[in-house]
Amino acid sequence: MALSEAFLCLNPMILSKSGANFGKQRNLGLAEFHYSLRRSRNRIKSNGFWSAGCCSTDIKNRTKRSSCFLRCKCQKADSVNGLTADHGIPASLSGKGKVNNVQEFELKQLLKSNKEGFANGNTNGAGMITDSRKSVEEEAWDLLKESVVYYCGNPIGTVAASDTSSSSILNYDQVFIRDFIPSGIAFLLKGEYDIVRNFILYTLQLQSWEKTMDCHSPGQGLMPASFKVRTVPLDGDDSVTEDVLDPDFGEAAIGRVAPVDSGLWWIILLRAYGKCTGDLSVQERVDVQTGIKMILKLCLADGFDMFPTLLVTDGSCMIDRRMGIHGHPLEIQALFYSALLCAREMLAPEDSSADLIRALNNRLVALSFHIREYYWIDMKKLNEIYRYKTEEYSYDAVNKFNIYPDQIPHWLVEFMPARGGYLIGNLQPAHMDFRFFSLGNIWSIVSSLATVDQSHAILDLVEAKWSELVADMPLKICYPALEGQEWRIITGSDPKNTPWSYHNGGSWPTLLWQLTVACIKMNRPEIAEKAVMLAERHLSRDKWPEYYDTRRARFIGKQSRLFQTWSIAGYLVAKLLLANPSAAKILINEEDSEIVNAFSCMLSANPRRKRGRKRFKQPFIV
């Protein structure tokens, strides 16, 4: 059979029905259809296939805590390997006959010849080769839509990655809360609201489940790190199936660490949905209001910690492996501050919420003061630390955390520019983590955790140290990388976090969208434009990798997944926001006047004099 005949053998219905449930919402093209043919039955189910005939669950009703899954009944047609003749598959490829070896070989050869064109966007929606090359942005939109996961026929999220070249799937076929945020923002800016609404409401149902780790249950209100859509037989009957949402709260994750940032990102996305769509009915729902309160109570719970910052363990955020960020990492504090502001904006004014809102306001003031005053470092502050006296015991102590000047690393002396500054990565008694963490600093700008002057100084630093922080691919997740004995001790000799790789100084394209929001807020979009143009040169050609390695970010990460969804979505959000800067307001938190006034009062009474003797009109607790 000639190649042209092999191509013509394919029923055109296949091309229009390929995708979730061979259905209705996705149009993947010939290459993706062939990949679907070769996928295992479970993998097909996990991406929402066979969703026709699902019985919708009432997501307004909270799932019982004794439940293990969020279920939805589905009706399945007779099939072989999950693909049916009813879906438009010709008899030669259907369950009633095996694929002829010659046909299979010729089909593979055709697909192989078409592979490069598909990867570069040279095919149309039906998989046919076209003369015109798609733009990088068009290709990104096609890939993002192909990554959509369906639950009972409804779009509910996007998989972490669609790398068909990797033999190890791990959990990259799941929907991650933090990974979906740029996807959700991209869909909102494009006017596709349903998927974001579904994501918000369905993940809310997962919040109340009591998962355990070694017989121990986490705090109520915890959001899962990720979830997977599974299709399983109903009551042992293979003719009837149901869709199941199976969440992971960290009990299956590498390192078994629960996510602190999932609930914070969920609140931020909820506010963005309301601001973008104008539909406030979602955030006003009783179950959504309850979900917000549960997250806040978990984060604002009293403990032994004396600081207003959120105490977390290593690996509980985007940096999900041991990197020495346990304690009070900046990334979590910036997200925490942003989520508090978003929640205060959305909480319904009720008598039952009065105490929670009061605690929230107190925490906002204390947190902003703590971060702005003690995490900030520039050349002036570095000189001050260099001359610190230690072992100070008094309310008037300048060196409150007993920081020893010898902690100042040699690299920082050369790195710190005369103009610019940043917020350090962590602060604990007798310990300052001087590393520059990109997400924490960027989101401090977006959330107004950093002052206006500090925000401009952070962007000044990025411009001054462009070759170190951006180089050939935006953006270093942290700088510098841990090396030598320090790397072995702090990371546990982690082979994935080798110097200048992964979370240890690797470069992550997904950070483009956060950088863009920060630059737009500070009216400096040219910085983001330069970074996006730099990324455009490589992302499509390199097949949208998860991260890049080496100091200059010149190599695709050694264990980087290709077609990483949040790399794709991060680029799209950056492009959309640069084209329409006013849309960034759905993510930005403007500085609160009450917090500014309280902060000014604290500075006038402190840090060189005793605090607490001057009475303020506002009953803020610090």
Side-chain angles (χ1 to χ4, degrees):
M1 183 185 297
L3 293 181
S4 59
E5 293 175 326
F7 184 82
L8 292 172
C9 268
L10 295 176
N11 190 321
M13 290 297 293
I14 298 173
L15 306 178
S16 64
K17 290 189 176 183
S18 60
N21 195 25
F22 288 97
K24 303 184 181 180
Q25 312 228 18
R26 295 172 66 191
N27 193 8
L28 305 186
L30 178 59
E32 182 64 17
F33 163 70
H34 179 67
Y35 170 57
S36 298
L37 271 178
R38 296 186 287 108
R39 296 171 80 176
S40 67
R41 184 169 184 165
N42 288 338
R43 183 71 188 276
I44 291 175
K45 293 176 182 177
S46 70
N47 282 279
F49 286 50
W50 301 345
S51 58
C54 291
C55 301
S56 300
T57 54
D58 183 5
I59 55 178
K60 293 183 180 180
N61 297 325
R62 303 292 288 182
T63 305
K64 295 181 180 179
R65 295 189 182 176
S66 58
S67 300
C68 294
F69 303 101
L70 190 59
R71 298 177 178 274
C72 183
K73 296 181 180 179
C74 306
Q75 184 67 37
K76 181 188 73 174
D78 293 334
S79 65
V80 174
N81 292 331
L83 307 177
T84 71
D86 292 337
H87 289 127
I89 300 175
S92 60
L93 299 178
S94 69
K96 293 185 179 181
K98 294 184 178 179
V99 179
N100 181 284
N101 290 336
V102 176
Q103 290 176 326
E104 183 179 13
F105 173 77
E106 291 180 336
L107 183 58
K108 284 182 178 179
Q109 290 297 107
L110 174 62
L111 291 167
K112 182 178 180 181
S113 66
N114 191 35
K115 182 178 181 181
E116 187 64 28
F118 180 82
N120 291 327
N122 288 346
T123 60
N124 63 17
M128 301 293 290
I129 299 174
T130 61
D131 294 331
S132 61
R133 179 184 176 87
K134 287 186 178 179
S135 68
V136 176
E137 197 168 348
E138 289 173 330
E139 178 193 348
W141 273 115
D142 288 345
L143 292 170
L144 181 60
K145 290 177 181 178
E146 289 169 14
S147 71
V148 173
V149 172
Y150 292 82
Y151 174 67
C152 299
N154 299 314
I156 193 176
T158 51
V159 293
S162 302
D163 187 357
T164 61
S165 65
S166 177
S167 58
S168 177
I169 297 175
L170 295 177
N171 53 2
Y172 282 83
D173 62 342
Q174 298 187 23
V175 180
F176 278 79
I177 305 295
R178 73 175 69 95
D179 289 37
F180 179 74
I181 302 304
S183 296
I185 299 300
F187 284 124
L188 286 177
L189 296 176
K190 200 70 170 178
E192 300 180 18
Y193 305 141
D194 287 349
I195 185 172
V196 181
R197 186 178 190 275
N198 292 338
F199 174 85
I200 289 169
L201 295 177
Y202 278 114
T203 51
L204 179 64
Q205 308 311 306
L206 305 179
Q207 182 188 31
S208 62
W209 296 9
E210 289 188 350
K211 287 279 187 167
T212 61
M213 169 64 183
D214 292 339
C215 305
H216 177 70
S217 298
Q220 190 181 36
L222 180 69
M223 281 286 190
S226 63
F227 64 86
K228 186 180 179 74
V229 179
R230 303 182 190 275
T231 303
V232 298
L234 180 62
D235 299 328
D237 184 356
D238 289 339
S239 64
V240 181
T241 62
E242 60 180 347
D243 275 1
V244 167
L245 291 183
D246 184 11
D248 178 13
F249 288 84
E251 71 277 6
I254 297 173
R256 302 301 190 267
V257 179
V260 175
D261 59 342
S262 290
L264 306 178
W265 277 124
W266 183 86
I267 290 177
I268 292 168
L269 181 63
L270 174 63
R271 173 182 179 262
Y273 173 84
K275 280 191 164 292
C276 188
T277 65
D279 176 18
L280 303 182
S281 63
V282 174
Q283 67 189 46
E284 291 171 352
R285 288 170 49 136
V286 174
D287 56 344
V288 174
Q289 288 284 313
T290 302
I292 297 173
K293 293 175 183 177
M294 289 173 65
I295 295 172
L296 292 178
K297 288 177 181 178
L298 182 63
C299 294
L300 296 172
D302 293 332
F304 289 100
D305 197 21
M306 290 292 291
F307 307 140
T309 42
L310 203 58
L311 179 64
V312 298
T313 189
D314 230 341
S316 60
C317 52
M318 179 183 174
I319 299 177
D320 59 2
R321 294 167 83 98
R322 182 175 168 186
M323 270 286 288
I325 62 169
H326 56 277
H328 308 87
L330 177 65
E331 174 182 330
I332 293 297
Q333 314 316 319
L335 291 174
F336 181 36
Y337 187 80
S338 181
L340 289 177
L341 289 173
C342 293
R344 186 177 67 174
E345 188 177 316
M346 294 185 293
L347 279 175
E350 302 173 339
D351 292 340
S352 59
S353 304
D355 291 340
L356 186 62
I357 293 176
R358 188 179 302 109
L360 185 155
N361 282 324
N362 288 337
R363 194 64 167 266
L364 279 170
V365 176
L367 181 61
S368 64
F369 176 84
H370 188 84
I371 296 296
R372 294 173 179 183
E373 182 69 13
Y374 303 128
Y375 275 61
W376 181 253
I377 186 169
D378 53 15
M379 187 57 76
K380 179 181 178 182
K381 186 64 178 288
L382 195 58
N383 269 283
E384 182 180 317
I385 296 173
Y386 183 73
R387 295 172 55 83
Y388 266 170
K389 296 179 180 179
T390 59
E391 315 302 328
E392 292 183 294
Y393 175 79
S394 71
Y395 290 105
D396 297 326
V398 174
N399 186 3
K400 293 179 173 59
F401 299 95
N402 201 36
I403 303 299
Y404 294 93
D406 288 345
Q407 286 187 33
I408 299 175
H410 294 295
W411 65 264
L412 182 58
V413 177
E414 300 299 326
F415 179 77
M416 183 62 71
R419 181 168 173 263
Y422 65 97
L423 297 166
I424 63 172
N426 213 326
L427 175 66
Q428 298 183 73
H431 173 70
M432 294 182 78
D433 185 345
F434 288 99
R435 286 176 291 176
F436 175 88
F437 287 86
S438 295
L439 179 54
N441 276 276
I442 291 171
W443 209 258
S444 294
I445 298 174
V446 175
S447 65
S448 293
L449 177 57
T451 65
V452 173
D453 290 341
Q454 288 173 346
S455 297
H456 278 296
I458 292 170
L459 294 181
D460 288 340
L461 179 84
V462 171
E463 284 192 306
K465 296 298 176 179
W466 189 266
S467 60
E468 288 91 345
L469 301 178
V470 181
D472 287 357
M473 172 57 66
L475 183 64
K476 285 278 186 299
I477 192 170
C478 72
Y479 183 90
L482 300 171
E483 299 183 278
Q485 187 68 9
E486 185 181 31
W487 166 77
R488 282 187 283 272
I489 293 172
I490 292 179
T491 73
S493 299
D494 186 351
K496 194 168 186 178
N497 266 334
T498 52
W500 308 108
S501 179
Y502 199 52
H503 292 313
N504 187 18
S507 296
W508 292 72
T510 188
L511 293 173
L512 274 173
W513 76 272
Q514 290 108 326
L515 175 64
T516 303
V517 177
C519 291
I520 289 174
K521 182 189 176 187
M522 304 312 298
N523 198 26
R524 298 172 68 172
E526 67 280 358
I527 300 175
E529 289 171 353
K530 182 180 177 182
V532 170
M533 288 179 62
L534 190 64
E536 277 181 326
R537 300 175 189 172
H538 305 284
L539 282 175
S540 178
R541 183 193 66 190
D542 295 341
K543 300 179 181 178
W544 306 92
E546 181 182 13
Y547 63 93
Y548 286 77
D549 284 354
T550 73
R551 281 178 178 267
R552 294 285 309 174
R554 302 183 73 178
F555 289 0
I556 297 173
K558 58 186 176 183
Q559 295 188 44
S560 176
R561 294 303 194 280
L562 303 180
F563 300 106
Q564 186 80 14
T565 303
W566 70 348
S567 296
I568 297 166
Y571 163 77
L572 286 173
V573 172
K575 292 287 287 186
L576 288 167
L577 291 178
L578 288 173
N580 182 20
S582 63
K585 67 178 181 292
I586 68 173
L587 295 161
I588 291 171
N589 300 112
E590 297 296 345
E591 197 162 29
D592 187 278
S593 58
E594 290 185 5
I595 294 177
V596 173
N597 292 334
F599 185 65
S600 300
C601 290
M602 292 176 189
L603 286 179
S604 63
N606 217 19
R608 296 294 177 263
R609 295 193 299 273
K610 297 179 183 179
R611 194 189 320 165
R613 293 187 175 183
K614 184 175 180 179
R615 295 184 179 274
F616 304 118
K617 295 181 180 180
Q618 294 286 348
F620 293 120
I621 301 173
V622 179

